[in-house]
Amino acid sequence: MRIGLAGLGVMGYRIGANLVKAGKLDVVYNRTINKAEQFSKEYGVKYVIDPKELIKSTDLLITMLADDNAVSSFLLPLVPYAKDKIIVDMSTISPSTSISIANEIMKNGGIMYDAPVIGTSIFAEQKKLTVLLGGPESHVNTVTEILKETASTIIYIGKNGMGLYAKLVNNLMVGVYVAALAEAYNFGISAGLKPEDVHKVLALYGSAKSPTSELKVPKMMKSDYSTQFATKHMRKDLEIITKETQNLHVVNPLSSLALQLYRFAEALGYSEADYAAILEVYKKANLVK
């Protein structure tokens, strides 16, 4: 089986590296050509500059792209070439958009899966991602056999879109949680607590500790906003959640508030920084004594 990958960003590059090392990647594509050239030079994998050439030269195509527009603009022109192809989209986009694209691909004789991941770039490097898979049952085993080279857990959720809905459940919680972590951290420091003691409460011994607090509180302590998951991506995911809750007629007060805070963080210049940079919103909003 010939396997291709489109999208060599923070996550895609690492996922691609894992697949190469397992002997399960034949060709790559990236909109910015120099990134594809870099990957090709580093890992000895062919790269192409035309998406049509990419899909024609593969049996299974993995995509890891930024947002709805990126996925739509990339995949929809490839629909006429989708016959007998398996497309696995690992991007986090709107389930409604993904389902629509999957239907078009199916009409043209192909199959599409939504396969968003839980985990940061560190998890990708360690092959510890969790993949939430949505799509037809018919080729789940084939897709799983490939994705197991970059993920420790692959969960088949159900029909198209269900993987993405499950991912949004996770990111709603994480987005709100890290906003709350930042608020709690800022409160503790403002009260005069030592950073290491706040860390103990939030990340080590407190009742709300989690793998996320263990990862993000040390970054907040050092103002280390090197990107594991960008603020712009968390903002984007919370916007998708708001859109989907409107479609489903359910309320989302906490994620709506968190969305505004991440927008503030972007306005302060932290769009490309790790979303732990939401702490800066609280620090800059402190009242002058």
Side-chain angles (χ1 to χ4, degrees), residues 12-250:
Y13 203 97
R14 290 159 174 79
I15 289 169
N18 291 335
L19 295 175
V20 171
K21 293 170 185 175
K24 294 184 178 180
L25 186 62
D26 299 285
V27 58
V28 297
Y29 166 86
N30 196 69
R31 184 178 60 180
T32 306
I33 296 174
N34 64 357
K35 185 65 72 71
E37 291 174 337
Q38 176 186 335
F39 188 91
S40 179
K41 182 177 181 180
E42 184 173 355
Y43 293 105
V45 174
K46 175 185 175 183
Y47 75 92
V48 296
I49 60 174
D50 183 352
K52 293 183 180 65
E53 183 180 354
L54 178 68
I55 194 168
K56 288 178 180 178
S57 62
T58 59
D59 302 300
L60 185 146
L61 174 59
I62 298 170
T63 53
M64 176 58 100
L65 304 172
D67 53 28
D68 284 47
N69 288 336
V71 174
S72 296
S73 63
F74 181 79
L75 286 181
L76 288 177
L78 301 183
V79 166
Y81 309 94
K83 183 176 174 57
D84 298 326
K85 307 290 185 180
I86 300 173
I87 296 172
V88 181
D89 182 33
M90 302 185 77
S91 318
T92 299
I93 62 172
S94 165
S96 303
T97 298
S98 183
I99 292 168
S100 176
I101 296 172
N103 288 339
E104 292 302 311
I105 289 172
M106 183 174 64
K107 289 176 187 176
N108 282 267
I111 294 176
M112 178 172 163
Y113 290 86
D114 45 283
V117 303
I118 295 175
T120 65
S121 57
I122 293 174
F123 286 81
E125 290 174 358
Q126 298 173 346
K127 299 184 183 181
K128 292 181 178 179
L129 294 171
T130 294
V131 176
L132 305 169
L133 196 61
E137 290 188 51
S138 56
H139 288 74
V140 166
N141 289 341
T142 299
V143 174
T144 298
E145 186 65 22
I146 294 163
L147 296 186
K148 73 177 185 180
E149 304 300 345
T150 196
S152 59
T153 305
I154 301 170
I155 305 171
Y156 177 59
I157 302 294
K159 63 183 180 179
N160 284 102
M162 291 299 105
L164 282 164
Y165 279 120
K167 171 62 184 292
L168 294 175
V169 167
N170 178 80
N171 279 23
L172 188 159
M173 182 64 200
V174 172
V176 172
Y177 180 70
V178 172
L181 274 181
E183 182 171 330
Y185 183 87
N186 180 68
F187 170 67
I189 297 301
S190 299
L193 293 174
K194 297 176 182 177
E196 56 267 30
D197 289 332
V198 178
H199 175 255
K200 289 174 184 175
V201 172
L202 294 178
L204 298 181
Y205 307 114
S207 57
K209 70 176 182 178
S210 73
T212 299
S213 66
E214 291 172 2
L215 193 62
K216 297 304 179 184
V217 174
K219 292 178 74 65
M220 292 178 184
M221 292 171 68
K222 301 173 185 176
S223 297
D224 169 18
Y225 304 132
S226 55
T227 308
Q228 295 169 340
F229 187 71
T231 299
K232 66 179 182 181
H233 294 318
M234 181 56 75
R235 182 264 307 157
K236 178 263 296 181
D237 290 353
L238 290 171
E239 287 177 342
I240 293 172
I241 288 164
T242 296
K243 173 184 173 183
E244 293 295 334
T245 57
Q246 290 170 348
N247 292 339
L248 295 168
H249 304 292
V250 299

